[in-house]
Amino acid sequence: MNTAQWSELRIDLALAFRTRPTEGNAQRLLVLLHGVGGNETNLAALAASIPNDTRIVLARGPLTLGPSQHAWFRVAFGAHGPTPDLDAAEASRVRLIAFVSQLQAAFSVPASKTVVAGFSQGGIMSASIGLTRPDALAGFGILAGRILPELAPQIAERAALGSLRGFIGHGRDDTKLPVDWAYKADSWLKELGVDHDTRLYPGDHGIPPAMQADFAQWFEQTTRHR
């Protein structure tokens, strides 16, 4: 992470975060969420392809697992797949919604120019915000993540999801969250009528350069003409 272009850690809003300044007033807002056991610096490289008219925020998960290790909720991995702490996931969802609202007010960026995206567990949280509060965002990105099946009762009505856009990026050989989760997310978004792009890439659990480039292009299309 090039610390010169990022602020010191801020703790004055609902979540701790770092931010990249813009050239002039911010025209768009991109909030990036790290995975379990990571921290806010992990997705800094994703900002390199995003224009400087965009205020980029690297948020830190509220749970501390160890030195420089944070999470949005705890999760256990077993023979039947991941088992999340749903109460903690819900608490983080509510907190993130408040945080995004605070950022929009602080940087004078409307919901129509706001995107939240995340890696792995961060992608789970991004989808959780977008699908339950489509009025708060223009779009959300799931990068090597999934949509929690347990979210179903909270998803907004189909009509409210009409203006929302999604991006799904996943490694074909992902050993942490198998690519089947991307297929499930794609199918679910189609069922909900959410306009979205689904892209698969060679490799394991990560954000390869091709995914970064495709996400940056999608972000441009999602926010530029709204």
Side-chain angles (χ1 to χ4, degrees):
M1 177 180 176
N2 180 4
T3 57
Q5 65 177 335
W6 296 96
S7 72
E8 295 295 321
L9 187 70
R10 290 181 53 174
I11 56 173
D12 53 314
L13 300 183
L15 291 165
F17 69 102
R18 300 177 193 270
T19 182
R20 187 188 77 175
T22 58
E23 294 180 356
N25 295 330
Q27 301 300 308
R28 300 179 287 181
L29 174 64
L30 174 59
V31 183
L32 297 175
L33 311 179
H34 62 79
V36 63
N39 62 66
E40 75 283 355
T41 67
N42 294 161
L43 271 66
L46 196 59
S49 301
I50 305 298
N52 287 331
D53 68 347
T54 303
R55 175 70 67 161
I56 301 180
V57 171
L58 307 177
R60 176 183 289 186
L63 302 181
T64 299
L65 306 182
S68 299
Q69 295 180 332
H70 302 274
W72 305 98
F73 55 88
R74 295 182 185 274
V75 59
F77 288 89
H80 300 290
T83 302
D85 180 339
L86 295 176
D87 289 340
E90 173 61 11
S92 284
R93 186 189 71 86
V94 171
R95 195 162 172 177
L96 273 165
I97 290 169
F99 179 62
V100 170
S101 179
Q102 290 173 334
L103 292 172
Q104 290 166 337
F107 300 120
S108 300
V109 179
S112 62
K113 297 285 187 178
T114 301
V115 165
V116 178
F119 170 67
S120 193
Q121 192 179 91
I124 291 174
M125 297 311 306
S126 299
S128 295
I129 299 170
L131 293 175
T132 61
R133 285 293 308 274
D135 59 307
L137 306 174
F140 62 93
I142 308 172
L143 311 178
R146 66 188 184 112
I147 303 174
L148 288 178
E150 296 87 354
L151 191 69
Q154 296 174 273
I155 291 178
E157 295 183 0
R158 187 184 181 92
L161 296 169
S163 62
L164 190 66
R165 296 196 71 213
F167 179 88
I168 300 168
H170 214 101
R172 292 190 182 93
D173 307 307
D174 195 320
T175 56
K176 195 71 170 179
L177 289 176
V179 70
D180 188 50
W181 284 111
Y183 296 134
K184 290 178 181 178
D186 177 76
S187 178
W188 202 353
L189 293 187
K190 286 178 180 176
E191 180 183 335
L192 292 169
V194 175
D195 180 29
H196 66 285
D197 293 351
T198 298
R199 306 287 180 88
L200 303 181
Y201 307 87
D204 201 344
H205 195 59
I207 307 176
M211 189 189 297
Q212 293 185 36
D214 287 345
F215 173 78
Q217 182 179 44
W218 172 87
F219 174 80
E220 184 73 15
Q221 294 170 347
T222 298
T223 58
R224 179 59 69 186
H225 301 297
R226 294 196 174 196

